[in-house]
Amino acid sequence: MKWAIVLLGLVALSECMTKVPLLKRKSMRKALMEQGKLEEFLQKYPYDLASKYSRYATTSNLPMHNYMDIEYIATISIGTPPQSFIVLPDTGSANLWVPSIYCSSLACSNHHKYNPSLSSTYRALNTPVSIAYGTGSMTGFLAYDTVTVGGIIDSNQEFGLSQTEPGNFLYYSPFDGIMGLSYPYISASGATPVFDNMMQQGLVSQDLFSIYLTKNGASGSVVTFGGYDSSYFTGQINWVPVTYMGYWQIAIENVMVNGQVVACAQGCQGIVDSGTSLIAGPPSEISTIQQYIGATQNSYQQYSINCQNMGSMPNVVFTINGLQYTLTPSAYVRQLYGACTSGFQSMALPSAQGDLWILGDVFIREYYAIFDRGNNRVGLAQAV
């Protein structure tokens, strides 16, 4: 099931939206790097730059809770003094939003709600925002406040305050809101995403972040802002260029089973999405994969698998940037309460580049993912 895919028909972005001047300004570090003068500056003024960035630029871990291998959620705070919220760190969307005291929807009744009157650093913006996901939606308005993420104090951060959260999905969700980590191009109402604000304020030591997801409900999942941790993977990192700077979108060469190409035969586009539980793709091609792995559709529209067949089921292999990424049956079969279901899901997500594949948590659990904004690329390595 898709927890967080922003639809391509979201509210159009506006180039003339009011912004705080600080948010448009490049950090000193980034400007020097772009000019190729960072090393020279460090040699000439070691104290000045070191003292500035020893206080501000950092690498910081945001621990995530593994909720039944379905969602990975984390706690952040907003406001002064801080108000805590559980959010879904989502590389498939770009907006940060949480429920507010102005929301009367059922979904807001059992979640933490942000109260602007309790924060001395709150600043109203009142720009309307509307976001539709693959499952669930919200409407509300934007504002500014200080957001603390894994020890990083992100001041003047735009975020959404929900006023409506229709339907039942968000009512049953273990998270209050969503923290989008994708490119600003897909941000509803042009709000500056959290990681963009961190970069622009010089709060991270590198303009990248990385995600490690645990298996079988284990603890230890983490988002690392400003760097990556080699203890979470083995072997080399394969750097894959981002083909479209909206989602974290990359090129996939093919999908194979038993050495035979069964999907994406002419090449296709995929997004690396921490907000999607499964691997999703065009219905006809996913149907083919389900047949190859022996999955059959049940009355709940899920694809069931006989757990006793796992030992003889084939691997499913994605070819990306010349390398093969193998998913064994233990990776793509979901086992819960003695029942087994397929980790592949049909979903039509059209784009200008064709129907997109979604490499969700089933994939990221196997392959540590590095999201490099400085070089517009995704790093993939075998997770431990």
Short mmCIF file of all heavy atoms in Angstrom, two decimals, residues 348-378:
data_model
loop_
_atom_site.label_atom_id
_atom_site.label_comp_id
_atom_site.label_asym_id
_atom_site.label_seq_id
_atom_site.Cartn_x
_atom_site.Cartn_y
_atom_site.Cartn_z
N ALA A 348 -0.64 2.59 -11.05
CA ALA A 348 -0.38 3.43 -12.22
C ALA A 348 0.04 4.82 -11.75
O ALA A 348 -0.73 5.52 -11.09
CB ALA A 348 -1.64 3.51 -13.09
N LEU A 349 1.28 5.19 -12.05
CA LEU A 349 1.78 6.51 -11.69
C LEU A 349 2.38 7.14 -12.94
O LEU A 349 3.58 7.09 -13.19
CB LEU A 349 2.84 6.41 -10.58
CG LEU A 349 3.34 7.74 -10.00
CD1 LEU A 349 2.20 8.52 -9.36
CD2 LEU A 349 4.43 7.50 -8.97
N PRO A 350 1.52 7.73 -13.79
CA PRO A 350 2.00 8.27 -15.06
C PRO A 350 2.85 9.52 -14.87
O PRO A 350 2.69 10.27 -13.91
CB PRO A 350 0.70 8.60 -15.80
CG PRO A 350 -0.30 8.84 -14.72
CD PRO A 350 0.08 7.91 -13.59
N SER A 351 3.79 9.70 -15.77
CA SER A 351 4.62 10.90 -15.77
C SER A 351 4.99 11.20 -17.21
O SER A 351 4.71 10.42 -18.12
CB SER A 351 5.88 10.69 -14.93
OG SER A 351 6.82 9.87 -15.62
N ALA A 352 5.68 12.31 -17.41
CA ALA A 352 6.11 12.67 -18.76
C ALA A 352 7.13 11.67 -19.30
O ALA A 352 7.33 11.56 -20.51
CB ALA A 352 6.72 14.07 -18.75
N GLN A 353 7.76 10.94 -18.39
CA GLN A 353 8.76 9.94 -18.78
C GLN A 353 8.16 8.53 -18.86
O GLN A 353 8.90 7.55 -18.95
CB GLN A 353 9.93 9.95 -17.80
CG GLN A 353 10.73 11.25 -17.77
CD GLN A 353 10.04 12.33 -16.94
OE1 GLN A 353 9.40 12.04 -15.94
NE2 GLN A 353 10.18 13.57 -17.37
N GLY A 354 6.85 8.41 -18.79
CA GLY A 354 6.19 7.11 -18.80
C GLY A 354 5.75 6.71 -17.41
O GLY A 354 5.96 7.44 -16.44
N ASP A 355 5.12 5.55 -17.31
CA ASP A 355 4.67 5.07 -16.01
C ASP A 355 5.86 4.79 -15.10
O ASP A 355 6.80 4.08 -15.49
CB ASP A 355 3.84 3.80 -16.16
CG ASP A 355 2.46 4.08 -16.74
OD1 ASP A 355 2.07 5.27 -16.76
OD2 ASP A 355 1.77 3.13 -17.16
N LEU A 356 5.81 5.33 -13.90
CA LEU A 356 6.93 5.19 -12.97
C LEU A 356 6.81 3.91 -12.14
O LEU A 356 5.72 3.51 -11.74
CB LEU A 356 6.97 6.39 -12.01
CG LEU A 356 7.21 7.78 -12.62
CD1 LEU A 356 7.16 8.84 -11.54
CD2 LEU A 356 8.55 7.81 -13.35
N TRP A 357 7.96 3.30 -11.86
CA TRP A 357 8.07 2.26 -10.86
C TRP A 357 8.40 2.93 -9.53
O TRP A 357 8.98 4.02 -9.49
CB TRP A 357 9.18 1.28 -11.23
CG TRP A 357 8.79 0.34 -12.34
CD1 TRP A 357 8.64 0.65 -13.66
CD2 TRP A 357 8.51 -1.05 -12.21
NE1 TRP A 357 8.27 -0.46 -14.37
CE2 TRP A 357 8.20 -1.53 -13.51
CE3 TRP A 357 8.50 -1.94 -11.15
CZ2 TRP A 357 7.87 -2.85 -13.76
CZ3 TRP A 357 8.18 -3.27 -11.39
CH2 TRP A 357 7.87 -3.72 -12.67
N ILE A 358 8.02 2.27 -8.46
CA ILE A 358 8.31 2.80 -7.12
C ILE A 358 9.11 1.78 -6.35
O ILE A 358 8.62 0.67 -6.06
CB ILE A 358 7.01 3.14 -6.36
CG1 ILE A 358 6.16 4.11 -7.18
CG2 ILE A 358 7.34 3.75 -5.00
CD1 ILE A 358 4.73 4.22 -6.67
N LEU A 359 10.33 2.12 -6.05
CA LEU A 359 11.20 1.26 -5.25
C LEU A 359 11.03 1.68 -3.79
O LEU A 359 11.72 2.56 -3.29
CB LEU A 359 12.66 1.39 -5.70
CG LEU A 359 12.91 1.08 -7.19
CD1 LEU A 359 14.39 1.26 -7.53
CD2 LEU A 359 12.46 -0.33 -7.54
N GLY A 360 10.08 1.02 -3.12
CA GLY A 360 9.73 1.39 -1.77
C GLY A 360 10.56 0.65 -0.73
O GLY A 360 11.69 0.20 -0.99
N ASP A 361 9.98 0.48 0.46
CA ASP A 361 10.72 -0.08 1.59
C ASP A 361 11.22 -1.50 1.33
O ASP A 361 12.27 -1.90 1.86
CB ASP A 361 9.85 -0.06 2.84
CG ASP A 361 9.48 1.36 3.27
OD1 ASP A 361 10.17 2.30 2.83
OD2 ASP A 361 8.51 1.51 4.03
N VAL A 362 10.48 -2.29 0.55
CA VAL A 362 10.94 -3.65 0.21
C VAL A 362 12.33 -3.59 -0.42
O VAL A 362 13.19 -4.43 -0.15
CB VAL A 362 9.93 -4.35 -0.72
CG1 VAL A 362 10.53 -5.58 -1.37
CG2 VAL A 362 8.67 -4.72 0.05
N PHE A 363 12.56 -2.57 -1.24
CA PHE A 363 13.86 -2.41 -1.91
C PHE A 363 14.89 -1.77 -0.98
O PHE A 363 16.04 -2.23 -0.88
CB PHE A 363 13.67 -1.56 -3.16
CG PHE A 363 14.93 -1.41 -4.00
CD1 PHE A 363 15.24 -2.35 -4.96
CD2 PHE A 363 15.78 -0.33 -3.80
CE1 PHE A 363 16.40 -2.21 -5.73
CE2 PHE A 363 16.94 -0.19 -4.56
CZ PHE A 363 17.25 -1.14 -5.52
N ILE A 364 14.49 -0.70 -0.28
CA ILE A 364 15.45 0.04 0.55
C ILE A 364 15.94 -0.79 1.74
O ILE A 364 17.06 -0.60 2.22
CB ILE A 364 14.82 1.37 1.03
CG1 ILE A 364 14.41 2.23 -0.18
CG2 ILE A 364 15.79 2.17 1.90
CD1 ILE A 364 13.63 3.49 0.19
N ARG A 365 15.12 -1.72 2.22
CA ARG A 365 15.60 -2.60 3.29
C ARG A 365 16.82 -3.40 2.84
O ARG A 365 17.70 -3.72 3.64
CB ARG A 365 14.49 -3.56 3.73
CG ARG A 365 13.59 -3.00 4.82
CD ARG A 365 12.76 -4.10 5.45
NE ARG A 365 11.75 -4.63 4.54
CZ ARG A 365 10.53 -4.15 4.40
NH1 ARG A 365 10.16 -3.10 5.11
NH2 ARG A 365 9.68 -4.69 3.55
N GLU A 366 16.88 -3.74 1.56
CA GLU A 366 18.00 -4.53 1.03
C GLU A 366 19.16 -3.66 0.58
O GLU A 366 20.31 -4.12 0.58
CB GLU A 366 17.51 -5.38 -0.15
CG GLU A 366 16.39 -6.35 0.20
CD GLU A 366 16.78 -7.32 1.29
OE1 GLU A 366 17.87 -7.93 1.18
OE2 GLU A 366 15.99 -7.47 2.26
N TYR A 367 18.86 -2.42 0.20
CA TYR A 367 19.90 -1.56 -0.37
C TYR A 367 19.88 -0.18 0.30
O TYR A 367 18.95 0.61 0.12
CB TYR A 367 19.74 -1.45 -1.89
CG TYR A 367 19.94 -2.78 -2.55
CD1 TYR A 367 18.85 -3.57 -2.93
CD2 TYR A 367 21.21 -3.30 -2.72
CE1 TYR A 367 19.04 -4.83 -3.48
CE2 TYR A 367 21.41 -4.56 -3.28
CZ TYR A 367 20.32 -5.32 -3.65
OH TYR A 367 20.51 -6.57 -4.18
N TYR A 368 20.92 0.04 1.11
CA TYR A 368 21.12 1.31 1.79
C TYR A 368 21.08 2.43 0.74
O TYR A 368 21.72 2.32 -0.32
CB TYR A 368 22.47 1.28 2.49
CG TYR A 368 22.82 2.47 3.33
CD1 TYR A 368 22.19 2.70 4.56
CD2 TYR A 368 23.82 3.35 2.94
CE1 TYR A 368 22.54 3.77 5.35
CE2 TYR A 368 24.19 4.42 3.72
CZ TYR A 368 23.55 4.64 4.93
OH TYR A 368 23.91 5.71 5.71
N ALA A 369 20.34 3.48 1.02
CA ALA A 369 20.11 4.52 0.02
C ALA A 369 20.66 5.87 0.49
O ALA A 369 20.39 6.31 1.60
CB ALA A 369 18.62 4.64 -0.29
N ILE A 370 21.45 6.49 -0.38
CA ILE A 370 22.02 7.82 -0.12
C ILE A 370 21.43 8.79 -1.13
O ILE A 370 21.47 8.55 -2.34
CB ILE A 370 23.56 7.79 -0.25
CG1 ILE A 370 24.15 6.70 0.65
CG2 ILE A 370 24.15 9.14 0.09
CD1 ILE A 370 25.61 6.39 0.34
N PHE A 371 20.88 9.89 -0.62
CA PHE A 371 20.19 10.86 -1.47
C PHE A 371 21.05 12.13 -1.53
O PHE A 371 21.07 12.92 -0.59
CB PHE A 371 18.80 11.14 -0.91
CG PHE A 371 17.94 9.91 -0.81
CD1 PHE A 371 18.00 9.09 0.31
CD2 PHE A 371 17.08 9.55 -1.84
CE1 PHE A 371 17.22 7.94 0.41
CE2 PHE A 371 16.30 8.40 -1.76
CZ PHE A 371 16.37 7.60 -0.63
N ASP A 372 21.76 12.28 -2.62
CA ASP A 372 22.80 13.31 -2.76
C ASP A 372 22.27 14.50 -3.55
O ASP A 372 22.22 14.48 -4.78
CB ASP A 372 24.01 12.69 -3.45
CG ASP A 372 25.21 13.64 -3.51
OD1 ASP A 372 25.05 14.83 -3.19
OD2 ASP A 372 26.30 13.17 -3.88
N ARG A 373 21.87 15.54 -2.83
CA ARG A 373 21.37 16.74 -3.50
C ARG A 373 22.50 17.55 -4.12
O ARG A 373 22.29 18.26 -5.10
CB ARG A 373 20.60 17.60 -2.49
CG ARG A 373 19.20 17.11 -2.20
CD ARG A 373 18.27 17.26 -3.39
NE ARG A 373 18.18 18.65 -3.81
CZ ARG A 373 17.34 19.53 -3.26
NH1 ARG A 373 16.52 19.16 -2.29
NH2 ARG A 373 17.31 20.78 -3.68
N GLY A 374 23.70 17.49 -3.53
CA GLY A 374 24.81 18.26 -4.06
C GLY A 374 25.20 17.83 -5.46
O GLY A 374 25.67 18.65 -6.27
N ASN A 375 25.02 16.54 -5.77
CA ASN A 375 25.40 16.02 -7.08
C ASN A 375 24.23 15.41 -7.84
O ASN A 375 24.42 14.81 -8.90
CB ASN A 375 26.49 14.96 -6.91
CG ASN A 375 27.76 15.53 -6.31
OD1 ASN A 375 28.50 16.25 -6.98
ND2 ASN A 375 28.04 15.22 -5.05
N ASN A 376 23.02 15.54 -7.30
CA ASN A 376 21.80 15.03 -7.94
C ASN A 376 21.98 13.57 -8.38
O ASN A 376 21.89 13.22 -9.56
CB ASN A 376 21.42 15.91 -9.13
CG ASN A 376 21.02 17.30 -8.69
OD1 ASN A 376 20.28 17.47 -7.73
ND2 ASN A 376 21.56 18.30 -9.37
N ARG A 377 22.17 12.73 -7.37
CA ARG A 377 22.37 11.31 -7.62
C ARG A 377 21.89 10.53 -6.39
O ARG A 377 21.76 11.08 -5.30
CB ARG A 377 23.84 11.00 -7.91
CG ARG A 377 24.78 11.39 -6.77
CD ARG A 377 26.23 11.17 -7.13
NE ARG A 377 27.10 11.48 -5.99
CZ ARG A 377 28.42 11.24 -5.95
NH1 ARG A 377 29.01 10.69 -7.00
NH2 ARG A 377 29.11 11.55 -4.87
N VAL A 378 21.64 9.24 -6.62
CA VAL A 378 21.27 8.33 -5.54
C VAL A 378 22.36 7.28 -5.42
O VAL A 378 22.76 6.68 -6.42
CB VAL A 378 19.91 7.65 -5.83
CG1 VAL A 378 19.58 6.63 -4.74
CG2 VAL A 378 18.80 8.69 -5.92
#
